[in-house]
Amino acid sequence: MTVALVTGGGSGIGQATARLLAERGAQVVVADVDASTAQATASEIGKSAAAIAVDVADGASVEAMVAFTVERFGGLDWACNIAGIAPDPKPFLDHSYADWQRTIDVNLSGVFFCMQHELRQMVVQGRGGAIVNMSSGAGIVPAPGQPQYTAAKHGVLGLTKQAAQEFAALGVRVNAVLPGQTETGPMRAYLDGMPDGGERMLRRLPMKRMATPLEIAQAVVWLCSDDASYVNGDSLVVDGGLITR
Ligand SMILES: NC(=O)c1ccc[n+]([C@@H]2O[C@H](COP(=O)([O-])OP(=O)(O)OC[C@H]3O[C@@H](n4cnc5c(N)ncnc54)[C@H](O)[C@@H]3O)[C@@H](O)[C@H]2O)c1
């Protein structure tokens, strides 16, 4: 049976991914810094899921997460590195070093730590695997007011391509998903922070609506699956056509 790991699995896109993986027959570890939402998601899925608390910005915590996955379900086939945070938008010159560093720690170093420990396990197993990293439209174009988020999400694409080259011969594929605006808690807070509640931004979306978390999860799970068996090092934009405008 396929064993999958999802960071940020307690809410939003990660939660939708964990649910979908389980629906498609995988055993799923739901990992999140919020132990209660991770546990609630795993309990809702049932016997084929287990929860663990992790801080992806802490290498030792990530190592323990992968060890837990192997102990609980006997290996690791698919890893979805989805955990992330969004900083408060501000003018470029107003961001402090602390603002910068926390987002880099979680959104970029976190993906690096996850990939290192996941790849170590996949190499030891010798049966290939798939990793999907969560970038963003901000991996290609800037997120207004969030320079550290933009830098981190660009960096995730670099890490993805790097590992895709190095591990392809071992049968491990590494890809990234770049969602556009998706209806989750942080996106809602971001829109609510705008003077017009995000009205203008929503009108600019080609499909006149945001993505649902499930629509992003479907891309993640496809990239993990054998249906994407020759897709490697790719950056899959799932934004309803926004970036092509
Ligand atoms: N919602 C969007 O519009 C959108 C667009 C592009 C990219 N993304 C990316 O998608 C991912 C998921 O975002 P979301 O909108 O579902 O947000 P969300 O807040 O609903 O989910 C993120 C999850 O990550 C967890 N998390 C935060 N810091 C963590 C840490 N240090 N260690 C482990 N878990 C941690 C949170 O507890 C939360 O459950 C993020 O990487 C985000 O940057 C979201």
Side-chain angles (χ1 to χ4, degrees), residues 7-16 31-35 37-38 52-58 61-62 65 81-86 102 105-107 110-111 114 133-138 149 153 177-188 190 210-211 213 216 238:
T7 73
S11 75
I13 295 169
Q15 184 182 55
D32 204 289
V33 74
D34 184 336
T37 59
I52 185 166
V54 69
D55 179 358
V56 295
D58 172 355
S61 177
V62 170
M65 169 186 75
N81 298 320
I82 295 177
I85 55 174
R102 183 63 192 155
D105 284 349
V106 175
N107 290 8
V111 171
C114 287
N133 296 320
M134 193 51 56
S135 180
S136 163
Y149 187 83
K153 294 301 187 182
V177 170
L178 290 71
Q181 278 82 359
T182 306
E183 184 75 69
T184 65
M187 177 49 65
R188 182 43 59 198
Y190 182 70
M210 292 193 267
I216 308 303
V238 187

Side-chain angles (χ1 to χ4, degrees), residues 77-228:
D77 300 297
W78 298 349
C80 308
N81 298 320
I82 295 177
I85 55 174
D88 288 338
K90 288 182 218 169
F92 197 98
L93 301 183
D94 293 349
H95 284 282
S96 68
Y97 180 67
D99 283 348
W100 164 266
Q101 196 59 50
R102 183 63 192 155
T103 300
I104 296 295
D105 284 349
V106 175
N107 290 8
L108 184 57
S109 304
V111 171
F112 175 69
F113 292 141
C114 287
M115 288 172 74
Q116 270 207 328
H117 290 291
E118 292 156 359
L119 285 163
R120 272 194 192 115
Q121 177 59 30
M122 288 173 182
V123 169
V124 166
Q125 287 174 186
R127 60 177 197 237
I131 294 180
V132 178
N133 296 320
M134 193 51 56
S135 180
S136 163
I140 300 179
V141 295
Q146 298 176 310
Q148 62 281 68
Y149 187 83
T150 299
K153 294 301 187 182
H154 275 66
V156 166
L157 299 185
L159 285 176
T160 299
K161 292 172 195 166
Q162 185 89 28
Q165 292 297 319
E166 199 167 329
F167 294 90
L170 297 175
V172 179
R173 295 179 300 102
V174 187
N175 292 289
V177 170
L178 290 71
Q181 278 82 359
T182 306
E183 184 75 69
T184 65
M187 177 49 65
R188 182 43 59 198
Y190 182 70
L191 295 181
D192 288 348
M194 294 177 172
D196 67 348
E199 269 297 306
R200 200 169 67 92
M201 194 211 76
L202 289 174
R203 271 202 309 274
R204 275 188 57 235
L205 298 179
M207 294 177 75
K208 307 296 173 204
R209 67 170 179 89
M210 292 193 267
T212 65
L214 176 62
E215 286 173 314
I216 308 303
Q218 283 166 334
V220 174
V221 174
W222 176 74
L223 282 170
C224 288
S225 77
D226 283 348
D227 288 345

